[in-house]
């Protein structure tokens, strides 16, 4: 049986998931938004940031999100930013399908990540990701515009937000441009941790 299609992001209290430009991705606000994940033991191990790290519910959620993911889909902008920042052993360890207009051969990285470049639309990318994922889930990794395309196309089953106690004031909003007339949500769970509040919603057709 095919798995779910989901996304999982950190979001500021005023609704932003990223700064406006890729140059700001490692800036102070972005680091504050993601500060809950950097100390986690699983995150540190996956990115080879050294031994140790925190264990607890936040760490469990990071690990469970990784383990449920059999393939990922991302937009070209996210890939371009990540290509500059990810280590040689990219942190996905599964096939990743990049939605782009570019024609490019697959790019295989150490550790099991292979990037496939799909230039015939988001549905084609998702079909290929589903096949690669088998009975595991497909994660729409980002960025915000790509997530929104999948939401508005009715292709998301579930999503999780780590609501971080920071304010951005500007940047990329998660739901800026959502077709609210088509999308209904059902809360699945809400769970506070010492650093963030984790909320998960099932997506229904309105």
């Amino acid at each position: 049986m095919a798995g779910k299609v989901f996304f999982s992001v950190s979001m500021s209290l005023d609704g932003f998931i990223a700064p406006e430009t890729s140059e700001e991705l490692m800036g102070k606000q972005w680091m504050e938004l993601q500060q809950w994940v950097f100390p986690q033991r699983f995150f540190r191990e996956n990115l080879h940031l050294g031994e140790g790290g925190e264990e607890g519910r936040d760490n469990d959620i990071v690990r469970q999100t990784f383990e449920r993911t059999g393939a990922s889909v991302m937009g070209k902008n996210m890939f371009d930013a990540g290509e500059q920042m990810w280590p040689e052993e990219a942190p996905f360890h599964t096939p990743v399908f990049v939605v782009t207009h570019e024609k490019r051969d697959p790019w295989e990285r150490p550790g099991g990540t292979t990037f496939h470049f799909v230039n015939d639309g988001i549905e084609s990318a998702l079909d290929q990701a589903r096949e690669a994922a088998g009975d595991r889930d497909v994660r729409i990794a980002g960025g915000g515009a790509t997530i929104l395309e999948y939401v508005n196309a009715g292709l998301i089953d579930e999503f999780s937000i780590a609501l971080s106690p920071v304010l951005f004031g500007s940047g990329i909003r998660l739901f800026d441009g959502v077709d609210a007339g088509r999308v209904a949500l059902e809360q699945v769970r809400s769970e506070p941790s010492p650093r963030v509040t984790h909320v998960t919603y099932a997506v229904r057709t309105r």
Side-chain angles (χ1 to χ4, degrees), residues 107-163:
W107 187 41
E108 186 174 349
R109 309 303 294 147
T113 301
T114 299
F115 294 94
H116 302 269
F117 301 89
V118 182
N119 53 31
D120 56 349
I122 63 170
E123 293 193 15
S124 175
L126 180 56
D127 288 343
Q128 293 178 58
R130 283 186 186 276
E131 184 174 355
D135 58 359
R136 295 166 72 191
D137 296 337
V138 173
R139 181 179 184 178
I140 309 302
T146 300
I147 288 173
L148 188 65
E149 281 192 84
Y150 278 97
V151 171
N152 283 343
L155 297 173
I156 298 292
D157 299 311
E158 183 180 282
F159 65 87
S160 296
I161 294 172
L163 193 60

Side-chain angles (χ1 to χ4, degrees), residues 9-201:
V9 296
S10 299
M11 187 174 77
S12 69
L13 284 177
D14 51 347
F16 297 97
I17 61 171
E20 291 179 347
T21 66
S22 59
E23 289 76 18
E24 299 173 90
L25 274 176
M26 298 306 289
K28 182 180 178 181
Q29 282 183 311
W30 174 253
M31 298 299 285
E32 288 178 352
L33 180 67
Q34 300 291 354
Q35 66 181 346
W36 72 276
V37 75
F38 291 125
Q40 304 309 318
R41 183 183 186 93
F42 184 86
F43 181 85
R44 293 180 56 80
E45 290 175 349
N46 193 33
L47 268 75
H48 302 291
L49 298 178
E51 297 182 356
E54 296 179 4
E55 297 188 38
R57 187 60 186 138
D58 284 337
N59 186 65
D60 290 344
I61 287 172
V62 175
R63 176 177 49 79
Q64 290 163 4
T65 300
F66 175 86
E67 290 176 347
R68 70 182 285 193
T69 303
S72 295
V73 176
M74 70 178 58
K76 181 64 160 53
N77 288 343
M78 181 177 179
F79 172 79
D80 287 344
E83 190 176 17
Q84 305 302 317
M85 298 190 313
W86 293 319
E88 182 181 9
E89 186 176 314
F92 302 95
H93 307 292
T94 63
V96 178
F97 296 85
V98 181
V99 180
T100 178
H101 296 296
E102 177 185 11
K103 291 187 177 181
R104 178 173 170 180
D105 292 334
W107 187 41
E108 186 174 349
R109 309 303 294 147
T113 301
T114 299
F115 294 94
H116 302 269
F117 301 89
V118 182
N119 53 31
D120 56 349
I122 63 170
E123 293 193 15
S124 175
L126 180 56
D127 288 343
Q128 293 178 58
R130 283 186 186 276
E131 184 174 355
D135 58 359
R136 295 166 72 191
D137 296 337
V138 173
R139 181 179 184 178
I140 309 302
T146 300
I147 288 173
L148 188 65
E149 281 192 84
Y150 278 97
V151 171
N152 283 343
L155 297 173
I156 298 292
D157 299 311
E158 183 180 282
F159 65 87
S160 296
I161 294 172
L163 193 60
S164 186
V166 298
L167 299 170
F168 265 32
S170 64
I172 297 174
R173 287 189 183 274
L174 177 58
F175 293 115
D176 190 15
V178 70
D179 186 355
R182 293 188 56 195
V183 179
L185 304 178
E186 176 185 331
Q187 184 161 302
V188 176
R189 72 184 66 89
S190 177
E191 186 175 0
S193 79
R195 296 180 185 272
V196 293
T197 299
H198 300 277
V199 289
T200 300
Y201 299 92

